Amino acid sequence: MAKKKHLLLPVSARILKELGENVKLARLRRKLSGARVAERANISLPTLWSLERGSAGVSIGTYLLVLTALGLENDLLLLARDDILGRKLQDASLITRQRAPKRNREA
């Protein structure tokens, strides 16, 4: 069975490549070998290399395993945290209620 080819827009491919480079830099700053991180993440060394190259075939679960091995698992929570466009769209479609008519106060 042939491997499935992942087609990405050039912008998406650049993002994955930068993400992989960031993971590699984090590993190197911690002075950990690829073999050590792969062992801690319970993945193969070629999978780690694919991740660090920004391959589209690497699952998000694998990213989480590697980030956990590096102590950066909470960084994954920062993805899409502040959805500026989504908030603007939501605010634009909010219906504002009209005020109720004032009561006639008779004293």
Side-chain angles (χ1 to χ4, degrees):
M1 183 187 262
K3 279 193 168 187
K4 186 176 178 183
K5 178 81 173 168
H6 297 279
L7 297 177
L8 292 176
L9 294 172
V11 172
S12 300
R14 279 194 300 268
I15 290 171
L16 280 178
K17 185 175 180 182
E18 186 175 340
L19 178 59
E21 288 172 357
N22 289 345
V23 170
K24 183 176 182 177
L25 288 173
R27 175 178 64 79
L28 294 174
R29 281 187 207 106
R30 287 161 177 73
K31 297 184 172 137
L32 295 171
S33 69
R36 172 72 49 94
V37 172
E39 180 184 338
R40 287 182 181 179
N42 198 25
I43 61 172
S44 68
L45 189 54
T47 300
L48 178 64
W49 291 336
S50 292
L51 182 146
E52 290 181 349
R53 280 193 311 268
S55 171
V58 178
S59 73
I60 191 75
T62 303
Y63 276 96
L64 180 59
L65 291 171
V66 171
L67 290 173
T68 301
L70 295 172
L72 297 170
E73 63 275 6
N74 287 331
D75 286 2
L76 201 56
L77 294 174
L78 300 176
L79 296 175
R81 172 176 251 174
D82 192 19
D83 182 14
I84 296 169
L85 177 61
R87 289 180 190 264
K88 286 180 181 178
L89 291 171
Q90 183 182 28
D91 292 345
S93 67
L94 290 178
I95 300 171
T96 56
R97 295 183 182 183
Q98 293 181 354
R99 290 185 64 169
K102 290 185 178 181
R103 291 187 206 175
N104 190 3
R105 290 189 185 186
E106 294 179 27

